[in-house]
Amino acid sequence: MPPDRAALARLPAASRFILRGKPAAVTAAGNVFGIGLPEQACRAAVAADRAALWLGPDEWLLLAPESEGAELGATLARAMAGAAHSLVDVSHRQIAIEVSGPNAEAMLNAGCPLDLDPGAFPVGMCTRTVLAKAEIVLWRTMPLCFRVEVSRSFAAYVWRLLEGASREFGPQPKRCGE
Amino acid sequence: MLLIVCPYCGERPEIEFSYGGEAHLVRPKDPASLGDAEWADYLYARSNPKGVHAERWRHTHGCARFFNALRDTLSDRFLATYRIGEQRPDLA
Ligand SMILES: [Zn+2]
């Protein structure tokens, strides 16, 4: 059921890797990951249930289903062997929250200073930024849907902040973890 | 809010950035050969101009990269930003 105003949801656990490297390693990683890692700043590339998010000029966040993590890590490391790189499994470092609905932009702007108008922050755009006192990765996955990646230790803070912002727009959203 | 143009990400709010001190300082190749005064000069003496200042910034809560900026210390206006390794732009 599409949210009529604004909704918050905790997304399922996922495999996450931070990859840093020069083009040789990055190309090799993209080949086995199934998605060429985006070269354009602040853009995400998606294929099936995997995604690659540009975080910096030599840094990407790779997302995949939780069950694929162990094998994926080994596959990526094998593909990049011999090319200088850094591959860190951060699956359990952060959690993902989905913010959706016609008021999603306003909810996020309660703590995020970016211009989230679709013209300035279109579908497919992603970036590290801040949400009040927390650092987050924000990714617009659909016109009315954002994915927020946040460190585990900041998750409760971010959830409550967004929940507070959402009260302006509608009924109480679901509690984190329910 | 003050907007700063990150050379990688474009125009972004100031609170995503952190200041990194004066730019283009070159660490002496052989510090052991310097006298105390010269070493102290490298460590502590800064140009501190009233006007255009070349300085390092980091897009900490963004792409996390360091870059250089020319900022007018009198007006707090950013005149140019450029990537590490690039020449300081000629504003004239
Ligand atoms: Zn940046």
Side-chain angles (χ1 to χ4, degrees), chain A residues 21-177:
Chain A
K22 296 219 161 82
V26 170
T27 305
N31 287 341
V32 295
F33 189 57
I35 305 174
L37 308 196
E39 287 173 31
Q40 193 187 350
C42 303
R43 286 296 183 279
V46 186
D49 47 12
R50 291 183 175 184
L53 281 67
W54 186 101
L55 292 186
D58 62 357
E59 180 181 0
W60 288 264
L61 170 63
L62 307 180
L63 300 175
E66 185 187 26
S67 60
E68 296 172 12
E71 200 188 322
L72 178 58
T75 306
L76 286 167
R78 225 178 297 122
M80 292 185 289
H85 70 277
S86 155
L87 181 72
V88 182
D89 185 338
V90 297
S91 301
H92 300 157
R93 182 183 75 180
Q94 57 209 46
I95 65 141
I97 297 170
E98 188 176 77
V99 184
S100 57
N103 295 111
E105 290 167 24
M107 274 169 72
L108 288 162
N109 277 145
C112 175
L114 293 179
D115 181 354
L116 298 180
D117 182 89
F121 203 102
V123 171
M125 186 164 171
C126 62
T127 182
R128 247 189 307 250
T129 182
V130 291
L131 190 82
K133 293 182 182 179
E135 181 178 281
I136 60 167
V137 171
L138 183 64
W139 171 23
R140 185 175 220 138
T141 53
M142 287 185 281
L144 297 179
C145 194
F146 293 85
R147 180 182 177 115
V148 173
E149 290 270 337
V150 59
S151 293
R152 192 163 280 283
S153 53
F154 278 96
Y157 168 81
V158 162
W159 179 271
R160 286 181 193 130
L161 188 122
L162 291 169
E163 190 184 49
S166 76
R167 284 201 196 104
E168 190 173 335
F169 305 110
Q172 292 272 343
K174 280 191 292 182
R175 286 239 157 241
C176 192

Side-chain angles (χ1 to χ4, degrees), chain A residues 42 54-55 57, chain B residues 6-10 12 16-17 59 62-65 67:
Chain A
C42 303
W54 186 101
L55 292 186
Chain B
C6 168
Y8 298 101
C9 305
R12 303 283 289 247
E16 290 182 348
F17 295 84
H59 192 191
C63 62
R65 267 354 82 138
F67 61 92

